[in-house]
Amino acid sequence: QVQLVESGGGLVQAGGSLRLSCAASGLTFSRYLMGWFRQTPGKEREFVATINWSGSMTDYRDSVKGRFTISRDNAKNTVYLQVNSLKLDDTAVYYCAARLGVGGRRNIKEYDYWGQGTQVTVSS
């Protein structure tokens, strides 16, 4: 019933930009904290960014601060991740996730629902 569908990934050159989208259905979207995570082969999934229910509070891992921007449109049940100034190390599958609650927003285990992921590949 609950579905999160990511889109917007692709192959870009270093320094380029993409806008990732995650469309949610089957839940009361405005009640959920939303997060973006990423994963590369051989590594554990890692926190990228989160945004609270209203969009008034955001959080980013240090390596993406100033380059990535998370936002949400509750009227469209969609969360976005604008990724700018992409680096080779940003190459990963990017996942969106949803959770209720206020604490542990960086903790992957606290999220209730996950999308299928969208591939971002950065080339030199």
Side-chain angles (χ1 to χ4, degrees), residues 19-120:
R19 192 190 194 197
L20 310 183
S21 298
C22 175
S25 61
L27 51 73
T28 304
F29 181 76
S30 62
R31 297 185 63 187
Y32 281 78
L33 175 77
M34 301 298 298
W36 285 96
F37 296 78
R38 65 187 182 186
Q39 188 169 23
T40 57
K43 294 184 178 181
E44 295 186 354
R45 193 169 300 183
E46 65 182 19
F47 154 79
V48 177
T50 65
I51 187 166
N52 75 335
W53 63 271
S54 68
S56 63
M57 296 179 63
T58 58
D59 188 29
Y60 301 91
R61 71 179 298 109
D62 287 345
S63 63
V64 308
K65 288 180 178 177
R67 300 189 298 119
F68 291 11
T69 303
I70 188 171
S71 62
R72 68 191 295 163
D73 186 340
N74 287 346
K76 296 182 178 180
N77 287 359
T78 301
V79 62
Y80 305 95
L81 187 69
Q82 178 71 38
V83 294
N84 297 332
S85 301
L86 285 164
K87 304 175 180 179
L88 294 179
D89 287 348
D90 294 320
T91 295
V93 177
Y94 284 71
Y95 299 88
C96 69
R99 62 158 291 180
L100 296 173
V102 65
R105 62 185 63 191
R106 295 188 177 195
N107 188 354
I108 188 173
K109 297 182 182 298
E110 295 295 326
Y111 285 78
D112 301 301
Y113 304 108
W114 292 85
Q116 84 290 346
T118 186
Q119 176 72 46
V120 173

